[in-house]
């Protein structure tokens, strides 16, 4: 590991000043479950690591505010998976958080870190995309709220500026109950990054939102407004054809050690259909 300076600011202003001073030479540290690995293997070599855990304004609270569920930047997967409001209204997110790594990882890994690491395989991101999440970022010009879909670029790259940091993630409160589910495929049981990670939400108005990851440079959101996928009476063949059309931009890496493109694309179809079925059942169960 290349030596670096370690800073632990106690205020947001202090953290932003460090980011302004060091720019792309600085890296933020939250749970460290991604960052430490990348520091160790040398894929990133920051001169300064800024630990965000001492910042007074950052919290790990989940609370309702102005029609949104606000998840503080310090919130870890364990707390997301256990939160009653998330389990009720954002079930796919609770399920995704519950399968990240193992207990020790989930006790440290933050939702903000999962987003900002920008892995195509980030398990919570598809669920956040179907739930229309937005990211709250603080920077020198103040705070801005960005739809998550506009934050993701490709592995390790987001549209956040080097002098910005995420303070919270916000989920709009659903106006009607929906059926939502997260499914994934891994090479083996136990902790592993997903070969396919997928979330689905079926709404009573017939709109189905799906998002999938590990099949290209970034997780992608697709929407079926035709009502076909949400229709419990529609046949599997018709749904498979609709899913194939929706998944047309899936472009899995041909060189990944996890699984080949053909397998991933086949599993995307299988999980897509299963997810739609499960979401319809959950919607019907209320
Ligand atoms: C053994 C193991 C198993 C894993 N399994 C899974 C899995 O199954 N599914 C999965 O999705 N992930 C998995 N991960 C990856 C990792 O645990 C998650 O991505 C985690 O959510 C990252 O959060 P963190 O708080 O540890 O982030 P860190 O490692 O602290 O940071 C990650 C990145 O986000 C940036 N960052 C952190 N906080 C902020 C902020 N507030 N504002 C701006 N940038 C910020 C950092 O600078 C860094 O670039 C696994 C990791 C390990 C080591």
């Amino acid at each position: 590991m290349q030596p670096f300076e370690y800073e632990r600011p106690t205020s947001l202003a202090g953290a932003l000043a460090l980011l302004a001073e060091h720019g792309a030479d600085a890296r933020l540290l939250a749970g460290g479950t991604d960052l430490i690995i990348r520091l160790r293997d040398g894929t990133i070599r920051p001169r300064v690591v800024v630990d965000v855990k001492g910042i007074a304004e950052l919290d790990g609270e989940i609370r309702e505010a102005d029609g949104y569920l606000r998840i503080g930047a310090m919130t870890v997967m364990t707390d997301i998976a256990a939160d009653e409001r998330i389990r009720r209204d954002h079930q796919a997110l609770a399920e995704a958080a519950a399968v990240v790594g193992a207990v020790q990882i989930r006790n440290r890994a933050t939702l903000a870190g999962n987003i900002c690491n920008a892995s195509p395989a980030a398990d919570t991101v598809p669920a956040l995309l179907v739930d229309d999440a937005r990211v709250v970022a603080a920077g020198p010009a103040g705070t801005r709220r960005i739809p998550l879909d506009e934050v993701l670029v490709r592995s390790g790259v987001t549209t956040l500026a080097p002098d910005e940091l995420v303070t919270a993630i916000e989920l709009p409160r659903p106006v009607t109950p929906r059926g939502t589910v997260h499914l994934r495929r891994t090479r083996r049981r136990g902790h592993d990054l997903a070969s396919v990670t997928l979330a689905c939400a079926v709404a009573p108005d017939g709109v189905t939102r799906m998002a999938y990851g590990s099949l290209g440079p970034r997780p992608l959101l697709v929407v079926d407004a035709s009502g076909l996928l949400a229709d419990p009476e529609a046949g599997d063949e018709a749904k498979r054809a609709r899913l194939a059309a929706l998944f047309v931009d899936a472009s899995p890496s041909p060189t990944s050690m996890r699984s080949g493109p053909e397998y991933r694309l086949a599993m995307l179809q299988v999980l897509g259909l299963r997810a739609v079925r499960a979401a319809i059942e959950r919607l019907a169960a209320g």
Side-chain angles (χ1 to χ4, degrees):
M1 195 186 290
Q2 178 180 282
F4 54 80
E5 282 172 42
Y6 172 80
E7 299 276 1
R8 192 177 162 99
T10 53
S11 70
L12 193 54
L16 292 177
L18 284 164
L19 293 181
E21 183 185 346
H22 298 287
D25 284 334
R27 279 292 180 145
L28 296 167
L29 170 76
T33 61
D34 281 316
L35 192 82
I36 299 294
I37 289 172
R38 298 189 67 200
L39 289 172
R40 278 208 185 117
D41 69 17
T43 51
I44 55 169
R45 294 163 180 271
R47 279 200 298 111
V48 184
V49 169
V50 180
D51 190 337
V52 297
K53 290 190 288 296
I55 299 176
E57 292 93 332
L58 295 193
D59 62 71
E61 286 174 28
I62 302 170
R63 63 169 188 268
E64 299 186 38
D66 303 327
Y68 284 81
L69 195 64
R70 179 197 172 280
I71 302 173
M74 295 291 91
T75 311
V76 295
M77 300 299 175
T78 301
D79 294 336
I80 290 166
D83 187 88
E84 279 309 319
R85 292 155 300 183
I86 295 181
R87 290 163 71 96
R88 187 188 62 226
D89 298 333
H90 306 279
Q91 199 171 353
L93 177 60
E95 288 172 342
V99 296
V100 168
V103 173
Q104 295 89 337
I105 295 290
R106 292 194 287 275
N107 284 344
R108 289 198 68 84
T110 61
L111 186 65
N114 201 220
I115 293 170
C116 295
N117 187 56
S119 162
D123 276 306
T124 63
V125 169
L128 292 169
L129 285 171
V130 300
D131 282 353
D132 217 8
R134 62 187 193 185
V135 169
V136 187
T143 297
R144 61 183 187 124
R145 290 180 158 77
I146 320 137
L148 174 61
D149 204 30
E150 294 173 20
V151 170
L152 307 166
V153 180
R154 61 178 186 277
S155 185
V157 181
T158 68
T159 57
L160 295 169
D163 58 359
E164 283 184 310
L165 69 80
V166 172
T167 56
I169 294 95
E170 293 179 337
L171 297 170
R173 305 296 284 139
V175 278
T176 50
R178 304 155 311 143
T180 81
V181 64
H182 170 261
L183 296 176
R184 73 172 187 165
R185 187 85 199 154
T186 53
R187 278 174 304 177
R188 56 188 169 79
R189 290 201 183 148
H191 58 253
D192 189 12
L193 290 183
S195 303
V196 177
T197 183
L198 176 142
C200 174
V202 171
D205 63 1
V207 175
T208 300
R209 292 166 67 85
M210 297 185 99
Y212 58 91
S214 263
L215 285 111
R218 51 155 287 181
L220 290 177
L221 172 70
V222 292
V223 179
D224 173 46
S226 72
L228 174 75
L229 289 180
D231 180 359
E233 306 301 327
D236 283 354
E237 277 319 303
K239 289 189 179 182
R240 280 196 193 97
R242 182 74 189 124
L243 287 171
L246 287 174
F247 295 150
V248 69
D249 290 325
S251 56
S253 159
T255 55
S256 168
M257 65 173 181
R258 268 188 196 90
S259 47
E262 297 81 5
Y263 179 78
R264 282 186 206 235
L265 290 170
M267 285 303 110
L268 178 62
Q269 278 283 332
V270 170
L271 294 190
L273 194 57
R274 280 186 198 164
V276 164
R277 281 193 200 126
I280 290 172
E281 279 172 20
R282 286 179 178 181
L283 177 63

